[in-house]
Amino acid sequence: MILLLSIFLQIFLFFAPNNVYAIQGSLDLSSAQTSVGKRFAKVFCDAKNEGLDSEFASEYALNNTYLKFVAFPDDDQYLNDLWEFTSNNILDNCGDKININDLKELEIFFKEEGIIASNRELYLPTFENN
């Protein structure tokens, strides 16, 4: 049993990063809403419900979702639509725990992280084989 689990884990770790990058180019809005927006809202609201402030909750949500791993299309409307979906989920699930200023700051944070994810090659160092 342990051997089987070990083999499965090795296979998963080998293929998982490739699968995330494979969906980057064709991530439609409905997929992003499900895999990123809904998950971000859930994790953010879980953190808020535990009593964390909005700044820490947003960082926690970023580090526990796919937001920083999936490259979105370089399209402002795409990010606006994804944010609208995400913010509606947040308001539905924990709107009583945040105020309008928190939501505005979270929107800026969310969109900045989306832009960074969309332009990952500008932010990450490249390594060349010598």
Side-chain angles (χ1 to χ4, degrees), residues 43-67:
V43 173
F44 177 82
C45 286
D46 288 348
K48 287 298 289 178
N49 289 330
E50 292 293 322
L52 300 177
D53 67 18
S54 291
E55 185 177 343
F56 188 78
S58 62
E59 286 290 334
Y60 182 77
L62 172 67
N63 290 321
N64 290 284
T65 63
Y66 295 116
L67 179 59

Side-chain angles (χ1 to χ4, degrees), residues 72 74 76 79 110-120 123:
F72 299 116
D74 189 14
D76 289 339
L79 278 177
F110 185 91
K111 288 181 177 180
E112 284 176 351
E113 291 300 328
I115 291 168
I116 289 169
S118 298
N119 297 291
R120 180 177 291 108
Y123 296 95

